[in-house]
Amino acid sequence: MAERDIKAEIRLALGQMVYLENCPVGYDKERKIHYGVKGKADLCGWCPMPGFDPPISRPICLEIKTATGRQSADQMRYQAMAKRWHAFYAVVRSVEEALAAVDRCQRGLSE
């Protein structure tokens, strides 16, 4: 399955659980411009933390990969930066892994 298909399934599955934004990165040849932040996770947003009144949320970053996909050096640097700022960061390859990542995020883990 292509990464874009995995991402679409994850966004659909997590839509009511967490707030996630698509974070595309690339180069538009027609307009000759770079867009996005190089290395940024594919989906970034906020994960609600249960048990707090008033409610609070935590930053969450999900890097989507295929079964054989690997992080680039830029993505590893972004992961390190996100963790320095106490964001939850995970590399996920399926809806099941994304659901498990949200569970870990809500339990206060870092990845």
Side-chain angles (χ1 to χ4, degrees), residues 36-49:
V37 176
K38 198 170 186 181
K40 188 172 184 177
D42 295 310
L43 297 172
C44 295
W46 297 96
C47 180
M49 301 296 288

Side-chain angles (χ1 to χ4, degrees), residues 25-93:
V25 177
Y27 180 73
D28 185 326
K29 292 178 185 176
E30 186 176 307
R31 294 185 292 168
K32 297 181 178 158
I33 60 168
H34 292 272
Y35 56 89
V37 176
K38 198 170 186 181
K40 188 172 184 177
D42 295 310
L43 297 172
C44 295
W46 297 96
C47 180
M49 301 296 288
F52 289 92
D53 187 27
I56 63 169
S57 294
R58 180 176 181 199
I60 183 170
C61 303
L62 299 177
E63 178 61 40
I64 314 301
K65 293 292 179 198
T66 62
T68 58
R70 298 176 59 115
Q71 282 182 291
S72 69
D74 288 325
Q75 290 168 337
M76 288 188 255
R77 281 190 286 277
Y78 186 88
Q79 178 180 3
M81 182 276 308
K83 290 169 97 176
R84 274 195 308 276
W85 288 97
H86 306 286
F88 178 86
Y89 188 103
V91 176
V92 296
R93 300 172 191 282

